[in-house]
Amino acid sequence: MSDTDIKPRPGTKPRTQRPKLHKVILVNDDFTPREFVVKVLMGEFRIAEAQAHKVMITAHRKGSCVVSVYPQDVAETKAARAIEAGQQKGYPLLFTTEPEE
């Protein structure tokens, strides 16, 4: 053996990287009733009624609003289920996802 053998440090553990988070965004439309949007937010995203109302009003006034932040697969699933709930009632309810910066 040579004097320059490299040995791993004892006790070092590989770190796992956290999954990148994605924002779920509610996009305003002029056709979906406000009460329905609040119900979807409460049901799918588990938001209290007062907070769901604030999110809905913010999206109405500004055009869109971040609902919540999740790992990518969860965000996409929740957005798809919320859109599907709107489609079942005939509303053009839209949620999008995008990476959090």
Side-chain angles (χ1 to χ4, degrees):
M1 289 196 150
S2 68
D3 293 332
T4 59
D5 283 344
I6 299 175
K7 297 179 182 176
R9 284 187 185 169
T12 55
K13 296 179 184 176
R15 291 188 177 196
T16 56
Q17 190 175 19
R18 289 186 174 194
K20 294 186 178 182
L21 299 176
H22 281 62
K23 300 182 277 190
V24 178
I25 301 168
L26 168 62
V27 180
N28 183 52
D29 68 73
D30 293 331
F31 303 103
T32 308
R34 293 179 177 190
E35 298 81 21
F36 181 76
V37 175
V38 170
K39 282 185 181 181
V40 169
L41 291 171
M42 290 171 56
E44 185 60 42
F45 297 97
R46 305 288 188 241
I47 299 175
E49 185 174 359
Q51 185 64 29
H53 186 74
K54 287 179 185 179
V55 168
M56 180 270 304
I57 289 295
T58 301
H60 180 69
R61 290 182 180 157
K62 295 187 176 187
S64 65
C65 181
V66 174
V67 176
S68 194
V69 179
Y70 300 100
Q72 182 178 5
D73 57 335
V74 175
E76 290 174 352
T77 300
K78 286 188 173 285
R81 288 176 52 172
I83 291 170
E84 184 179 328
Q87 288 174 343
Q88 288 177 352
K89 296 287 186 176
Y91 300 129
L93 184 61
L94 179 62
F95 289 84
T96 62
T97 63
E98 66 181 45
E100 186 179 44
E101 297 174 5

